[in-house]
Amino acid sequence: MIRVMVADDQAMVRTGFGMIIGAQPDMELVGEAADGVEAVAMARRLRPDVALFDIRMPRMDGLEALRLLAGPGVADPVKVVVVTTFDLDEYVHTALRNGACGFLLKDSGPALLVEAVRAAQSGDALISPSITVRLLEHLTPPAAPKPVDDAGLSPRELDVVKLVARGLTNAEIATQLFISVGTVKTHLGSVQSKLDARNRVEIAAWAWERGLVS
């Protein structure tokens, strides 16, 4: 079982996340915190497998709580996924610098939330597709794209890669390509192996660097 903790100052959000977590056969909710100070103390006491943190919380914001639990120099970091309403670039960069294992918007939906928890547990990181696209647009230099080397990817795998780079979720990719979500995941697993990519962010970066996405 993946032991999950939730920290958010809104009781309704905590309840909603708790229901999503509780509905998963491989997850259980082990604690809820209403502010950053309580979140840090609870995470240190319970040692959850994954913690979901809001950014704007009383007494201590989620980014500072994240730094204390997973930032540079923390010997035994807690795996924290930031889940927030605010997608400001400053927040995203600070969260990633402070050791976040993911960054989601609250309107991303239950499927992506569950996917982010499982990714964090397995040592991966998931960032909301819309944020991924914006970051890559900012970070990718306007130089000539690298020569297209398909890295042994099949035409269908390249289709999946291009849609990942455009910020589509697995469900959206499945709909676009008229295949199942399970098939999308199979293609992504193969793509990660062929590209030696740790997550979909690196897959997207590979596509952007080669000019496969405009």
Side-chain angles (χ1 to χ4, degrees):
M1 295 291 285
I2 304 175
R3 301 170 63 255
V4 183
M5 177 195 138
V6 175
D8 195 294
D9 63 332
Q10 298 183 53
M12 188 177 298
V13 172
R14 297 196 303 272
T15 299
F17 286 174
M19 291 176 64
I20 294 170
I21 297 302
Q24 309 308 311
D26 59 340
M27 297 181 191
E28 65 173 334
L29 184 68
V30 297
E32 297 181 21
D35 63 63
V37 172
E38 183 184 9
V40 171
M42 184 177 292
R44 286 173 173 168
R45 183 176 75 254
L46 297 178
R47 299 299 306 178
D49 296 313
V50 179
L52 304 176
F53 278 20
D54 189 16
I55 288 182
R56 296 189 179 179
M57 294 189 288
R59 297 208 289 169
M60 178 189 296
D61 68 37
L63 295 176
E64 176 61 14
L66 168 64
R67 186 187 67 79
L68 293 175
L69 293 170
V74 175
D76 188 15
V78 175
K79 294 176 179 177
V80 178
V81 175
V82 173
V83 189
T84 182
T85 307
F86 308 97
D87 65 344
L88 301 177
D89 287 350
E90 177 186 355
Y91 286 166
V92 178
H93 289 300
T94 301
L96 296 178
R97 284 198 306 268
N98 287 359
C101 292
F103 195 105
L104 295 184
L105 299 181
K106 287 182 179 177
D107 62 1
S108 296
L112 206 60
L113 181 71
V114 169
E115 190 175 344
V117 170
R118 294 197 176 111
Q121 164 69 2
S122 65
D124 202 348
L126 191 151
I127 302 175
S128 279
S130 60
I131 297 175
T132 297
V133 171
R134 197 176 71 239
L135 288 177
L136 290 171
E137 286 175 341
H138 291 335
L139 297 176
T140 303
K146 295 182 179 180
V148 175
D149 172 12
D150 63 15
L153 301 183
S154 69
R156 181 55 96 189
E157 288 170 346
L158 281 171
D159 290 339
V160 171
V161 166
K162 292 174 184 177
L163 294 178
V164 167
R166 283 174 48 199
L168 274 67
T169 65
N170 288 352
E172 290 169 338
I173 293 171
T175 300
Q176 186 98 353
L177 298 180
F178 302 101
I179 57 179
S180 70
V181 172
T183 301
V184 173
K185 292 180 179 178
T186 298
H187 285 317
L188 284 176
S190 176
V191 168
Q192 283 187 238
S193 178
K194 291 178 179 179
L195 299 184
D196 193 25
R198 292 172 298 174
N199 50 54
R200 66 195 302 127
V201 177
E202 292 187 358
I203 293 173
W206 181 88
W208 279 77
E209 288 173 352
R210 282 153 183 79
L212 297 178
V213 185
S214 58

